[in-house]
mmCIF file of all heavy atoms in Angstrom:
data_model
loop_
_atom_site.group_PDB
_atom_site.id
_atom_site.type_symbol
_atom_site.label_atom_id
_atom_site.label_comp_id
_atom_site.label_asym_id
_atom_site.label_seq_id
_atom_site.Cartn_x
_atom_site.Cartn_y
_atom_site.Cartn_z
ATOM 1 N N ASN A 67 23.303 10.085 -3.903
ATOM 2 C CA ASN A 67 24.606 10.372 -3.305
ATOM 3 C C ASN A 67 25.548 11.013 -4.318
ATOM 4 O O ASN A 67 26.323 11.921 -3.985
ATOM 5 C CB ASN A 67 25.225 9.092 -2.738
ATOM 6 C CG ASN A 67 24.504 8.585 -1.496
ATOM 7 O OD1 ASN A 67 23.772 9.329 -0.853
ATOM 8 N ND2 ASN A 67 24.716 7.332 -1.160
ATOM 9 N N ALA A 68 25.467 10.561 -5.566
ATOM 10 C CA ALA A 68 26.354 11.090 -6.610
ATOM 11 C C ALA A 68 26.074 12.556 -6.907
ATOM 12 O O ALA A 68 26.998 13.325 -7.212
ATOM 13 C CB ALA A 68 26.210 10.262 -7.883
ATOM 14 N N GLN A 69 24.797 12.959 -6.823
ATOM 15 C CA GLN A 69 24.462 14.346 -7.159
ATOM 16 C C GLN A 69 24.487 15.288 -5.957
ATOM 17 O O GLN A 69 24.230 16.485 -6.105
ATOM 18 C CB GLN A 69 23.096 14.400 -7.845
ATOM 19 C CG GLN A 69 21.923 13.927 -7.007
ATOM 20 C CD GLN A 69 21.353 14.981 -6.077
ATOM 21 O OE1 GLN A 69 21.006 16.069 -6.502
ATOM 22 N NE2 GLN A 69 21.273 14.629 -4.786
ATOM 23 N N SER A 70 24.776 14.766 -4.782
ATOM 24 C CA SER A 70 24.734 15.598 -3.575
ATOM 25 C C SER A 70 25.984 16.434 -3.388
ATOM 26 O O SER A 70 26.065 17.225 -2.434
ATOM 27 C CB SER A 70 24.525 14.723 -2.333
ATOM 28 O OG SER A 70 25.688 13.975 -2.038
ATOM 29 N N GLY A 71 26.969 16.254 -4.249
ATOM 30 C CA GLY A 71 28.178 17.065 -4.152
ATOM 31 C C GLY A 71 29.020 16.767 -2.927
ATOM 32 O O GLY A 71 29.775 17.647 -2.468
ATOM 33 N N GLY A 72 28.902 15.570 -2.407
ATOM 34 C CA GLY A 72 29.695 15.199 -1.246
ATOM 35 C C GLY A 72 29.153 15.717 0.067
ATOM 36 O O GLY A 72 29.757 15.490 1.130
ATOM 37 N N LYS A 73 28.006 16.407 0.033
ATOM 38 C CA LYS A 73 27.437 16.968 1.267
ATOM 39 C C LYS A 73 26.626 15.947 2.057
ATOM 40 O O LYS A 73 26.498 16.051 3.269
ATOM 41 C CB LYS A 73 26.543 18.169 0.935
ATOM 42 C CG LYS A 73 27.245 19.290 0.211
ATOM 43 C CD LYS A 73 28.321 19.936 1.055
ATOM 44 C CE LYS A 73 27.742 20.727 2.229
ATOM 45 N NZ LYS A 73 28.810 21.436 2.982
ATOM 46 N N VAL A 74 26.034 14.969 1.344
ATOM 47 C CA VAL A 74 25.144 14.008 1.998
ATOM 48 C C VAL A 74 25.456 12.596 1.511
ATOM 49 O O VAL A 74 25.736 12.384 0.328
ATOM 50 C CB VAL A 74 23.660 14.318 1.702
ATOM 51 C CG1 VAL A 74 22.746 13.251 2.329
ATOM 52 C CG2 VAL A 74 23.286 15.704 2.213
ATOM 53 N N GLU A 75 25.395 11.646 2.434
ATOM 54 C CA GLU A 75 25.477 10.236 2.067
ATOM 55 C C GLU A 75 24.323 9.488 2.730
ATOM 56 O O GLU A 75 24.187 9.503 3.961
ATOM 57 C CB GLU A 75 26.791 9.606 2.504
ATOM 58 C CG GLU A 75 26.899 8.141 2.097
ATOM 59 C CD GLU A 75 28.185 7.476 2.550
ATOM 60 O OE1 GLU A 75 28.923 8.082 3.353
ATOM 61 O OE2 GLU A 75 28.441 6.335 2.116
ATOM 62 N N VAL A 76 23.497 8.867 1.915
ATOM 63 C CA VAL A 76 22.398 8.036 2.414
ATOM 64 C C VAL A 76 22.863 6.592 2.398
ATOM 65 O O VAL A 76 23.424 6.127 1.401
ATOM 66 C CB VAL A 76 21.135 8.203 1.545
ATOM 67 C CG1 VAL A 76 20.045 7.219 1.978
ATOM 68 C CG2 VAL A 76 20.624 9.633 1.628
ATOM 69 N N LYS A 77 22.647 5.898 3.488
ATOM 70 C CA LYS A 77 22.971 4.473 3.566
ATOM 71 C C LYS A 77 21.678 3.683 3.692
ATOM 72 O O LYS A 77 20.975 3.795 4.695
ATOM 73 C CB LYS A 77 23.886 4.192 4.769
ATOM 74 C CG LYS A 77 25.276 4.795 4.630
ATOM 75 C CD LYS A 77 26.180 4.394 5.789
ATOM 76 C CE LYS A 77 27.594 4.915 5.582
ATOM 77 N NZ LYS A 77 28.493 4.520 6.712
ATOM 78 N N ALA A 78 21.352 2.924 2.638
ATOM 79 C CA ALA A 78 20.130 2.118 2.648
ATOM 80 C C ALA A 78 20.364 0.844 3.443
ATOM 81 O O ALA A 78 21.339 0.129 3.209
ATOM 82 C CB ALA A 78 19.722 1.782 1.216
ATOM 83 N N VAL A 79 19.459 0.562 4.387
ATOM 84 C CA VAL A 79 19.598 -0.617 5.244
ATOM 85 C C VAL A 79 18.298 -1.412 5.223
ATOM 86 O O VAL A 79 17.256 -0.927 5.676
ATOM 87 C CB VAL A 79 19.942 -0.223 6.699
ATOM 88 C CG1 VAL A 79 20.175 -1.479 7.533
ATOM 89 C CG2 VAL A 79 21.149 0.697 6.747
ATOM 90 N N PHE A 80 18.347 -2.627 4.682
ATOM 91 C CA PHE A 80 17.169 -3.496 4.638
ATOM 92 C C PHE A 80 16.836 -3.975 6.047
ATOM 93 O O PHE A 80 17.704 -4.445 6.777
ATOM 94 C CB PHE A 80 17.447 -4.685 3.728
ATOM 95 C CG PHE A 80 16.333 -5.713 3.679
ATOM 96 C CD1 PHE A 80 15.108 -5.409 3.097
ATOM 97 C CD2 PHE A 80 16.515 -6.978 4.222
ATOM 98 C CE1 PHE A 80 14.088 -6.351 3.050
ATOM 99 C CE2 PHE A 80 15.500 -7.932 4.174
ATOM 100 C CZ PHE A 80 14.293 -7.613 3.588
ATOM 101 N N GLN A 81 15.551 -3.876 6.421
ATOM 102 C CA GLN A 81 15.131 -4.246 7.773
ATOM 103 C C GLN A 81 14.140 -5.407 7.809
ATOM 104 O O GLN A 81 13.566 -5.692 8.845
ATOM 105 C CB GLN A 81 14.505 -3.025 8.475
ATOM 106 C CG GLN A 81 15.468 -1.888 8.711
ATOM 107 C CD GLN A 81 16.563 -2.230 9.708
ATOM 108 O OE1 GLN A 81 16.416 -3.128 10.533
ATOM 109 N NE2 GLN A 81 17.678 -1.515 9.644
ATOM 110 N N GLY A 82 13.904 -6.050 6.670
ATOM 111 C CA GLY A 82 12.939 -7.147 6.646
ATOM 112 C C GLY A 82 11.600 -6.691 6.107
ATOM 113 O O GLY A 82 11.500 -5.668 5.419
ATOM 114 N N SER A 83 10.565 -7.432 6.418
ATOM 115 C CA SER A 83 9.213 -7.125 5.931
ATOM 116 C C SER A 83 8.703 -5.815 6.512
ATOM 117 O O SER A 83 9.300 -5.243 7.433
ATOM 118 C CB SER A 83 8.261 -8.254 6.319
ATOM 119 O OG SER A 83 8.077 -8.277 7.727
ATOM 120 N N TYR A 84 7.575 -5.366 5.982
ATOM 121 C CA TYR A 84 6.945 -4.158 6.532
ATOM 122 C C TYR A 84 6.687 -4.305 8.028
ATOM 123 O O TYR A 84 6.949 -3.390 8.818
ATOM 124 C CB TYR A 84 5.611 -3.901 5.827
ATOM 125 C CG TYR A 84 5.694 -3.372 4.420
ATOM 126 C CD1 TYR A 84 4.764 -3.769 3.463
ATOM 127 C CD2 TYR A 84 6.662 -2.452 4.039
ATOM 128 C CE1 TYR A 84 4.799 -3.271 2.173
ATOM 129 C CE2 TYR A 84 6.715 -1.947 2.752
ATOM 130 C CZ TYR A 84 5.778 -2.365 1.813
ATOM 131 O OH TYR A 84 5.817 -1.860 0.537
ATOM 132 N N ASP A 85 6.139 -5.441 8.429
ATOM 133 C CA ASP A 85 5.854 -5.662 9.847
ATOM 134 C C ASP A 85 7.129 -5.630 10.674
ATOM 135 O O ASP A 85 7.162 -5.064 11.778
ATOM 136 C CB ASP A 85 5.148 -7.014 10.046
ATOM 137 C CG ASP A 85 3.687 -6.984 9.619
ATOM 138 O OD1 ASP A 85 3.071 -5.901 9.674
ATOM 139 O OD2 ASP A 85 3.159 -8.040 9.234
ATOM 140 N N GLU A 86 8.184 -6.235 10.150
ATOM 141 C CA GLU A 86 9.456 -6.256 10.877
ATOM 142 C C GLU A 86 10.057 -4.861 10.975
ATOM 143 O O GLU A 86 10.610 -4.479 12.013
ATOM 144 C CB GLU A 86 10.427 -7.210 10.183
ATOM 145 C CG GLU A 86 10.039 -8.681 10.325
ATOM 146 C CD GLU A 86 10.825 -9.592 9.412
ATOM 147 O OE1 GLU A 86 11.310 -9.135 8.349
ATOM 148 O OE2 GLU A 86 10.956 -10.782 9.755
ATOM 149 N N THR A 87 9.923 -4.084 9.915
ATOM 150 C CA THR A 87 10.495 -2.735 9.922
ATOM 151 C C THR A 87 9.802 -1.842 10.937
ATOM 152 O O THR A 87 10.464 -1.121 11.699
ATOM 153 C CB THR A 87 10.403 -2.097 8.525
ATOM 154 O OG1 THR A 87 11.165 -2.884 7.607
ATOM 155 C CG2 THR A 87 10.946 -0.678 8.527
#
Side-chain angles (χ1 to χ4, degrees):
N67 290 342
Q69 62 84 54
S70 72
K73 301 295 291 184
V74 177
E75 181 181 10
V76 174
K77 293 185 176 180
V79 184
F80 176 68
Q81 295 293 338
S83 68
Y84 286 144
D85 285 332
E86 290 168 334
T87 298

